[in-house]
Amino acid sequence: MTLASPSLNPSSSSPIKDPRYFRRFLAYAFDYKRLLIVALLAGVMKFAVNYTFPWLIGAAIDKVIKPVDETVTEAQRMHWLWILVALGVGFSVLHSIATFARGYFTAKLGNRVIANLRQDLFDHLHRLSLHFYSKERTGSIVSRLITDIQQASQIVNGGLITVAMDLFSVTLGVALLLTISWKLTLACIGIWPLYVLTYKLLNPRVKEASRRVQSQISKISGNVQERLAGISLVKTYAAESREMEQFEVDTEEHYDRVIEQSTLSSAVTGISEGLVHIGQTIVIGFGGWLAMQPLERGGMTPGDVVKFLGWLSVMYLPVRRFAEVNVVYQQSLAAIERVFQVFDITPKI
């Protein structure tokens, strides 16, 4: 048999791009469908309950604080107040339970995937021939087994489940906003193409920067393992100063690559935050104007404006987090590719 994969240390100018790696990784998560489904349902419940609190505040304004119907009696207002308080307590308890369940089952799923993937890779390494080990650094191999798999697992903990929940939350948010004002809703989601453009332009650069960081960590790990294993030889030839200088060079290169990655990640997050605040400003301006109009002419009540702002804020939480999830996804995808490169290596003999 032949060596059927690229080197474990590809040059930084030739990134690996293979969607099969991602599908192979997802297969590990889909082996635990029950855990995945329970974690998703808990997350969906958590974000659905978030939408209830802006409604409670808006209802309190329109039915208790300043009723739209001026014929409402004091007793009726007090009745509504007690109902809203009871609902608030119930939703708070439900949110707490959903938050715990989502965190617990997501962690259980993510760590189960790590354990299985790491065991499979360890078993695969033992099946490889000595030809492989004669060409590759032990430290680099260990880096794949420990560091890269740990990084890849973040796509389960912070990516796969979170994206599914966020898509549900955004869809529910848009549906709720449309029940208040379709005009204001369209104005707010009109800035979404700018999000798509941002991710399309910066995603490839974030992924490549992440791959370069992980590649340098692998290089440092390999160098350190070899030098410490041969420390007696280093001391025999009084080469300590040379080794320390080389380690400083490697560390500084890693620093530069991390700063490059951080700069690109911060750019994605910064642009996303700016777009979120622009959307909220649209509500203040256009929503305030609609609140000045009579209800029969498509106007909004003060409670409607508060509910709209609240629901928009809840809906923008996933949009905000998507910038962070996007960075995690790109970093994890680079790690996944590095891990499955090793799986693609077959014994020479």
mmCIF file of all heavy atoms in Angstrom, residues 1 7 13-14 38 47 49 80 104-105 158 170 181 184 210 215 218 223 235 251 263 285 308-309 327-329 343:
data_model
loop_
_atom_site.group_PDB
_atom_site.id
_atom_site.type_symbol
_atom_site.label_atom_id
_atom_site.label_comp_id
_atom_site.label_asym_id
_atom_site.label_seq_id
_atom_site.Cartn_x
_atom_site.Cartn_y
_atom_site.Cartn_z
ATOM 1 N N MET A 1 0.841 -1.194 0.000
ATOM 2 C CA MET A 1 0.000 0.000 0.000
ATOM 3 C C MET A 1 0.871 1.237 0.000
ATOM 4 O O MET A 1 2.021 1.198 0.387
ATOM 5 C CB MET A 1 -0.917 -0.007 1.219
ATOM 6 C CG MET A 1 -1.852 -1.226 1.271
ATOM 7 S SD MET A 1 -2.896 -1.217 2.735
ATOM 8 C CE MET A 1 -3.998 0.109 2.273
ATOM 9 N N SER A 7 1.578 15.508 3.387
ATOM 10 C CA SER A 7 2.432 15.539 4.576
ATOM 11 C C SER A 7 1.686 16.154 5.744
ATOM 12 O O SER A 7 0.767 16.961 5.563
ATOM 13 C CB SER A 7 3.696 16.338 4.270
ATOM 14 O OG SER A 7 4.403 16.611 5.451
ATOM 15 N N SER A 13 1.165 28.029 2.238
ATOM 16 C CA SER A 13 0.610 28.586 1.005
ATOM 17 C C SER A 13 -0.330 27.616 0.302
ATOM 18 O O SER A 13 -0.883 27.934 -0.739
ATOM 19 C CB SER A 13 1.751 28.966 0.045
ATOM 20 O OG SER A 13 2.518 27.829 -0.285
ATOM 21 N N SER A 14 -0.480 26.392 0.855
ATOM 22 C CA SER A 14 -1.321 25.401 0.189
ATOM 23 C C SER A 14 -2.317 24.802 1.166
ATOM 24 O O SER A 14 -2.167 23.686 1.642
ATOM 25 C CB SER A 14 -0.451 24.291 -0.411
ATOM 26 O OG SER A 14 0.344 23.708 0.595
ATOM 27 N N VAL A 38 -31.860 15.792 22.135
ATOM 28 C CA VAL A 38 -32.205 16.370 23.441
ATOM 29 C C VAL A 38 -31.514 17.724 23.627
ATOM 30 O O VAL A 38 -32.125 18.694 24.109
ATOM 31 C CB VAL A 38 -31.808 15.412 24.579
ATOM 32 C CG1 VAL A 38 -31.977 16.088 25.937
ATOM 33 C CG2 VAL A 38 -32.657 14.147 24.521
ATOM 34 N N PHE A 47 -34.258 29.403 23.948
ATOM 35 C CA PHE A 47 -34.370 30.620 23.158
ATOM 36 C C PHE A 47 -35.818 31.015 22.899
ATOM 37 O O PHE A 47 -36.122 32.202 22.746
ATOM 38 C CB PHE A 47 -33.615 30.456 21.837
ATOM 39 C CG PHE A 47 -32.123 30.493 22.007
ATOM 40 C CD1 PHE A 47 -31.369 29.347 21.925
ATOM 41 C CD2 PHE A 47 -31.482 31.685 22.286
ATOM 42 C CE1 PHE A 47 -30.001 29.380 22.100
ATOM 43 C CE2 PHE A 47 -30.114 31.732 22.465
ATOM 44 C CZ PHE A 47 -29.368 30.581 22.366
ATOM 45 N N VAL A 49 -38.227 30.655 25.136
ATOM 46 C CA VAL A 49 -38.661 31.317 26.372
ATOM 47 C C VAL A 49 -38.131 32.750 26.440
ATOM 48 O O VAL A 49 -38.785 33.641 27.021
ATOM 49 C CB VAL A 49 -38.195 30.504 27.598
ATOM 50 C CG1 VAL A 49 -38.469 31.255 28.896
ATOM 51 C CG2 VAL A 49 -38.917 29.156 27.642
ATOM 52 N N TRP A 80 -54.593 41.645 35.631
ATOM 53 C CA TRP A 80 -53.586 41.427 34.597
ATOM 54 C C TRP A 80 -52.174 41.445 35.193
ATOM 55 O O TRP A 80 -51.307 40.677 34.780
ATOM 56 C CB TRP A 80 -53.710 42.504 33.512
ATOM 57 C CG TRP A 80 -54.528 42.059 32.334
ATOM 58 C CD1 TRP A 80 -55.775 42.455 32.003
ATOM 59 C CD2 TRP A 80 -54.116 41.094 31.356
ATOM 60 N NE1 TRP A 80 -56.201 41.817 30.869
ATOM 61 C CE2 TRP A 80 -55.198 40.968 30.442
ATOM 62 C CE3 TRP A 80 -52.991 40.329 31.157
ATOM 63 C CZ2 TRP A 80 -55.141 40.109 29.353
ATOM 64 C CZ3 TRP A 80 -52.936 39.475 30.062
ATOM 65 C CH2 TRP A 80 -54.007 39.374 29.182
ATOM 66 N N TYR A 104 -25.713 20.750 29.821
ATOM 67 C CA TYR A 104 -25.329 19.401 30.248
ATOM 68 C C TYR A 104 -25.244 18.449 29.058
ATOM 69 O O TYR A 104 -24.231 17.751 28.875
ATOM 70 C CB TYR A 104 -26.338 18.876 31.265
ATOM 71 C CG TYR A 104 -26.129 17.431 31.644
ATOM 72 C CD1 TYR A 104 -25.111 17.071 32.521
ATOM 73 C CD2 TYR A 104 -26.943 16.427 31.106
ATOM 74 C CE1 TYR A 104 -24.902 15.739 32.864
ATOM 75 C CE2 TYR A 104 -26.746 15.100 31.446
ATOM 76 C CZ TYR A 104 -25.730 14.769 32.325
ATOM 77 O OH TYR A 104 -25.525 13.457 32.652
ATOM 78 N N PHE A 105 -26.291 18.409 28.237
ATOM 79 C CA PHE A 105 -26.311 17.443 27.140
ATOM 80 C C PHE A 105 -25.359 17.832 26.019
ATOM 81 O O PHE A 105 -24.812 16.962 25.338
ATOM 82 C CB PHE A 105 -27.737 17.286 26.612
ATOM 83 C CG PHE A 105 -28.639 16.536 27.555
ATOM 84 C CD1 PHE A 105 -29.641 17.196 28.249
ATOM 85 C CD2 PHE A 105 -28.468 15.173 27.764
ATOM 86 C CE1 PHE A 105 -30.454 16.513 29.136
ATOM 87 C CE2 PHE A 105 -29.282 14.479 28.649
ATOM 88 C CZ PHE A 105 -30.281 15.152 29.324
ATOM 89 N N GLY A 158 -19.749 24.565 20.395
ATOM 90 C CA GLY A 158 -20.047 25.960 20.100
ATOM 91 C C GLY A 158 -20.490 26.228 18.692
ATOM 92 O O GLY A 158 -20.688 27.382 18.317
ATOM 93 N N VAL A 170 -33.922 32.903 15.178
ATOM 94 C CA VAL A 170 -34.082 33.984 14.194
ATOM 95 C C VAL A 170 -35.402 33.835 13.448
ATOM 96 O O VAL A 170 -36.123 34.821 13.227
ATOM 97 C CB VAL A 170 -32.896 33.993 13.213
ATOM 98 C CG1 VAL A 170 -33.170 34.936 12.046
ATOM 99 C CG2 VAL A 170 -31.619 34.422 13.932
ATOM 100 N N SER A 181 -45.384 44.708 13.062
ATOM 101 C CA SER A 181 -45.304 45.640 11.938
ATOM 102 C C SER A 181 -44.423 45.051 10.853
ATOM 103 O O SER A 181 -43.215 44.889 11.048
ATOM 104 C CB SER A 181 -44.724 46.987 12.399
ATOM 105 O OG SER A 181 -44.469 47.826 11.286
ATOM 106 N N LEU A 184 -41.708 47.724 9.641
ATOM 107 C CA LEU A 184 -40.536 47.874 10.507
ATOM 108 C C LEU A 184 -39.659 46.616 10.452
ATOM 109 O O LEU A 184 -38.431 46.710 10.507
ATOM 110 C CB LEU A 184 -40.993 48.150 11.941
ATOM 111 C CG LEU A 184 -39.915 48.559 12.951
ATOM 112 C CD1 LEU A 184 -39.125 49.759 12.451
ATOM 113 C CD2 LEU A 184 -40.549 48.878 14.302
ATOM 114 N N SER A 210 -6.345 30.435 11.037
ATOM 115 C CA SER A 210 -6.458 29.414 12.086
ATOM 116 C C SER A 210 -5.600 28.197 11.751
ATOM 117 O O SER A 210 -4.940 27.629 12.631
ATOM 118 C CB SER A 210 -7.919 28.988 12.237
ATOM 119 O OG SER A 210 -8.734 30.072 12.589
ATOM 120 N N SER A 215 -0.789 24.899 12.687
ATOM 121 C CA SER A 215 0.395 24.320 12.073
ATOM 122 C C SER A 215 1.659 24.711 12.831
ATOM 123 O O SER A 215 2.555 23.882 13.040
ATOM 124 C CB SER A 215 0.493 24.772 10.607
ATOM 125 O OG SER A 215 1.668 24.280 10.008
ATOM 126 N N SER A 218 1.916 22.798 16.065
ATOM 127 C CA SER A 218 2.406 21.454 15.780
ATOM 128 C C SER A 218 3.917 21.462 15.597
ATOM 129 O O SER A 218 4.621 20.566 16.076
ATOM 130 C CB SER A 218 1.717 20.913 14.523
ATOM 131 O OG SER A 218 2.200 19.624 14.202
ATOM 132 N N ASN A 223 9.362 20.252 17.734
ATOM 133 C CA ASN A 223 10.721 20.691 18.078
ATOM 134 C C ASN A 223 11.027 20.459 19.556
ATOM 135 O O ASN A 223 12.098 19.966 19.920
ATOM 136 C CB ASN A 223 10.896 22.171 17.734
ATOM 137 C CG ASN A 223 11.008 22.410 16.243
ATOM 138 O OD1 ASN A 223 11.293 21.485 15.479
ATOM 139 N ND2 ASN A 223 10.781 23.640 15.815
ATOM 140 N N LYS A 235 23.289 19.133 25.662
ATOM 141 C CA LYS A 235 24.221 19.603 26.695
ATOM 142 C C LYS A 235 25.654 19.153 26.401
ATOM 143 O O LYS A 235 26.617 19.853 26.719
ATOM 144 C CB LYS A 235 23.770 19.091 28.068
ATOM 145 C CG LYS A 235 22.522 19.786 28.598
ATOM 146 C CD LYS A 235 22.182 19.334 29.995
ATOM 147 C CE LYS A 235 21.012 20.137 30.544
ATOM 148 N NZ LYS A 235 21.396 21.557 30.762
ATOM 149 N N THR A 251 8.435 30.760 18.696
ATOM 150 C CA THR A 251 7.399 31.381 19.529
ATOM 151 C C THR A 251 6.954 32.720 18.955
ATOM 152 O O THR A 251 5.761 33.045 18.950
ATOM 153 C CB THR A 251 7.910 31.571 20.967
ATOM 154 O OG1 THR A 251 8.309 30.309 21.500
ATOM 155 C CG2 THR A 251 6.828 32.162 21.857
ATOM 156 N N THR A 263 -6.883 39.465 14.660
ATOM 157 C CA THR A 263 -7.282 40.669 13.934
ATOM 158 C C THR A 263 -8.465 40.387 13.015
ATOM 159 O O THR A 263 -9.446 41.146 12.972
ATOM 160 C CB THR A 263 -6.100 41.205 13.116
ATOM 161 O OG1 THR A 263 -5.019 41.535 13.997
ATOM 162 C CG2 THR A 263 -6.504 42.454 12.333
ATOM 163 N N GLY A 285 -35.863 55.035 15.237
ATOM 164 C CA GLY A 285 -36.315 56.084 14.315
ATOM 165 C C GLY A 285 -37.646 55.770 13.668
ATOM 166 O O GLY A 285 -38.638 56.495 13.851
ATOM 167 N N PHE A 308 -41.369 45.108 20.305
ATOM 168 C CA PHE A 308 -40.584 44.997 19.079
ATOM 169 C C PHE A 308 -39.090 45.120 19.392
ATOM 170 O O PHE A 308 -38.273 44.323 18.915
ATOM 171 C CB PHE A 308 -41.003 46.075 18.073
ATOM 172 C CG PHE A 308 -40.528 45.808 16.667
ATOM 173 C CD1 PHE A 308 -41.379 45.245 15.737
ATOM 174 C CD2 PHE A 308 -39.224 46.097 16.280
ATOM 175 C CE1 PHE A 308 -40.950 44.983 14.439
ATOM 176 C CE2 PHE A 308 -38.785 45.849 14.993
ATOM 177 C CZ PHE A 308 -39.654 45.289 14.072
ATOM 178 N N LEU A 309 -38.752 46.125 20.200
ATOM 179 C CA LEU A 309 -37.346 46.301 20.578
ATOM 180 C C LEU A 309 -36.822 45.090 21.352
ATOM 181 O O LEU A 309 -35.693 44.631 21.141
ATOM 182 C CB LEU A 309 -37.182 47.568 21.417
ATOM 183 C CG LEU A 309 -36.907 48.868 20.668
ATOM 184 C CD1 LEU A 309 -36.972 50.055 21.620
ATOM 185 C CD2 LEU A 309 -35.551 48.826 19.967
ATOM 186 N N VAL A 327 -16.213 32.176 13.844
ATOM 187 C CA VAL A 327 -14.775 32.064 14.107
ATOM 188 C C VAL A 327 -14.454 30.675 14.652
ATOM 189 O O VAL A 327 -13.479 30.033 14.231
ATOM 190 C CB VAL A 327 -14.319 33.165 15.090
ATOM 191 C CG1 VAL A 327 -12.874 32.939 15.518
ATOM 192 C CG2 VAL A 327 -14.458 34.541 14.453
ATOM 193 N N VAL A 328 -15.289 30.186 15.603
ATOM 194 C CA VAL A 328 -15.090 28.842 16.158
ATOM 195 C C VAL A 328 -15.177 27.800 15.050
ATOM 196 O O VAL A 328 -14.377 26.853 14.993
ATOM 197 C CB VAL A 328 -16.142 28.552 17.250
ATOM 198 C CG1 VAL A 328 -16.096 27.077 17.661
ATOM 199 C CG2 VAL A 328 -15.904 29.435 18.461
ATOM 200 N N TYR A 329 -16.145 27.981 14.155
ATOM 201 C CA TYR A 329 -16.336 27.040 13.055
ATOM 202 C C TYR A 329 -15.104 26.987 12.159
ATOM 203 O O TYR A 329 -14.618 25.904 11.797
ATOM 204 C CB TYR A 329 -17.562 27.433 12.242
ATOM 205 C CG TYR A 329 -17.747 26.642 10.972
ATOM 206 C CD1 TYR A 329 -18.265 25.355 11.008
ATOM 207 C CD2 TYR A 329 -17.384 27.181 9.744
ATOM 208 C CE1 TYR A 329 -18.425 24.622 9.843
ATOM 209 C CE2 TYR A 329 -17.534 26.456 8.571
ATOM 210 C CZ TYR A 329 -18.056 25.177 8.628
ATOM 211 O OH TYR A 329 -18.205 24.450 7.475
ATOM 212 N N PHE A 343 -5.925 10.255 9.424
ATOM 213 C CA PHE A 343 -6.745 9.090 9.139
ATOM 214 C C PHE A 343 -6.566 8.626 7.686
ATOM 215 O O PHE A 343 -6.718 7.433 7.391
ATOM 216 C CB PHE A 343 -8.226 9.415 9.382
ATOM 217 C CG PHE A 343 -8.658 9.266 10.817
ATOM 218 C CD1 PHE A 343 -9.077 10.370 11.539
ATOM 219 C CD2 PHE A 343 -8.660 8.023 11.424
ATOM 220 C CE1 PHE A 343 -9.486 10.249 12.861
ATOM 221 C CE2 PHE A 343 -9.064 7.887 12.749
ATOM 222 C CZ PHE A 343 -9.468 8.994 13.462
#
